[in-house]
Amino acid sequence: MGRPENDSRESQEAKISAAAGAYAGALIAGDEVAAEIAIREAMDAHLSSEVIDDEIIAPALWLVGELWERGEITVADEHIATEISIRVLALQREVQRVAQARGGHRVMLAAPAGELHVVALRMVATLLREAGYGVVMLGADVPADALGAAARRLEPDVICLSSTMPEGADELFGAIAAVQQKWPSARFIVGGRGLTPRIQSQSILGVCARVSEVVEAVDAMVKRAGLN
Ligand code: B12
């Protein structure tokens, strides 16, 4: 069995090598879409800009230069590869800009009174943090008045609530009402198996079936509120 740090170094190297191969292949094929996908996947795999620049984009361009010197591709192919790489650099900058813009917004997470199931909420916290949002996790079983007071003090842009128990609908509505009273500009995203059709039909709520939907849902709410 390998040591954990060796395993993680190996997995990092495997990610770099896969992305480098995909990116070089895309440049040689003049395939802008495939090149962008390779870099997006590298960013999603949390490879840093330094690694992407030094170990993926630069080596691919060096390879293109060698192929040109050997007469295996034309100067036009070399220009296409360069243009694609310049566009990919702009994509990297845009992703950083979005993450920085998210950093100016705060999302508060809680399970309403009586609700102890918080694993999904923990996943939501990780996803939002990774996307760049400021996250405040209040955890399980948060009484409505405490949630309202925390919202007034911390002024979150969005509040994510999770409700698993079917009898939790009243507590969920109570939590929302308490926040609306204390911090009316907050928007709400709710998830969980306990959501009743009545909750799901509330137009003021964003409803997520899966945690993987949350970043997009928060982005949409923050944009709609004209906050960025
Ligand atoms: C772990 C667990 C517990 C733990 C919770 C610990 C903790 N810190 O979270 C403990 C032991 C405390 C517990 C207690 C109880 N539990 Co329990 N528990 C579970 C179990 C096994 C897993 C729940 C879980 O973490 N799932 C994984 C998460 C990721 O999935 P999820 O919650 O379904 O969320 C998905 C979506 O709903 C959505 N989502 C959910 N919330 C949110 C929020 C946002 C913002 C977003 C974007 C998305 C989102 O995203 C996820 C998918 O991507 C489930 C089994 C099951 N089938 O789920 C039972 C289960 C939920 N529990 C159940 C019961 C009955 C209880 C108890 C009454 C048992 C008891 N007699 O003690 C108590 C009640 C506690 C309470 N008042 O809340 C029942 C509920 C049945 C029902 N609907 O009526 C279940 C289904 C088990 C069963 N088959 O009977 N439980």
Side-chain angles (χ1 to χ4, degrees):
M1 273 246 302
R3 291 162 66 93
E5 64 268 31
N6 288 345
D7 291 348
S8 76
R9 201 176 319 121
E10 276 165 25
S11 100
Q12 168 92 348
E13 276 161 15
K15 284 181 200 168
I16 297 170
S17 143
Y23 188 71
L27 279 200
I28 291 162
D31 187 337
E32 185 181 339
V33 174
E36 191 177 313
I37 290 171
I39 298 303
R40 274 194 192 279
E41 285 178 355
M43 289 189 280
D44 289 346
H46 304 293
L47 298 181
S48 68
S49 294
E50 288 86 349
V51 166
I52 291 174
D53 290 349
D54 267 349
E55 299 189 42
I56 297 173
I57 300 178
L61 283 166
W62 296 335
L63 175 63
V64 165
E66 281 166 30
L67 294 175
W68 172 74
E69 270 181 32
R70 295 208 299 261
E72 292 179 31
I73 61 170
T74 67
V75 74
D77 296 326
E78 198 193 37
H79 284 224
I80 291 168
T82 311
E83 277 306 312
I84 291 175
S85 295
I86 289 170
R87 262 175 256 153
V88 161
L89 297 182
L91 167 74
Q92 268 181 298
R93 280 200 303 278
E94 174 58 12
V95 169
Q96 280 160 2
R97 190 197 66 75
V98 169
Q100 275 162 8
R102 286 175 179 151
H105 301 299
R106 180 174 287 160
V107 186
M108 205 163 90
L109 276 51
E115 181 59 74
L116 298 183
H117 299 91
V118 287
V119 175
L121 222 44
R122 299 258 167 224
M123 293 172 174
V124 165
T126 302
L127 293 174
L128 290 172
R129 278 199 191 101
E130 278 179 6
Y133 280 108
V135 172
V136 185
M137 165 62 96
L138 301 193
D141 190 19
V142 181
D145 55 350
L147 185 68
R152 185 167 59 187
R153 190 163 53 84
L154 299 168
E155 304 186 345
D157 301 297
V158 179
I159 299 185
C160 291
L161 299 168
S162 182
S163 179
T164 297
M165 301 309 289
E167 63 273 21
D170 287 348
E171 300 294 353
L172 189 69
F173 281 120
I176 292 167
V179 172
Q180 283 175 327
Q181 207 187 353
K182 298 280 172 60
W183 179 239
S185 66
R187 303 290 190 277
F188 296 91
I189 291 175
V190 296
R193 288 159 160 236
L195 297 185
T196 58
R198 187 173 145 237
I199 296 172
Q200 300 199 25
S201 66
Q202 302 290 313
S203 59
I204 58 152
L205 304 179
V207 179
C208 288
R210 306 179 75 82
V211 293
S212 53
E213 297 166 14
V214 75
V215 172
E216 211 175 304
V218 173
D219 282 349
M221 285 198 166
V222 163
K223 242 182 232 153
R224 211 176 304 144
L227 295 170
N228 64 349

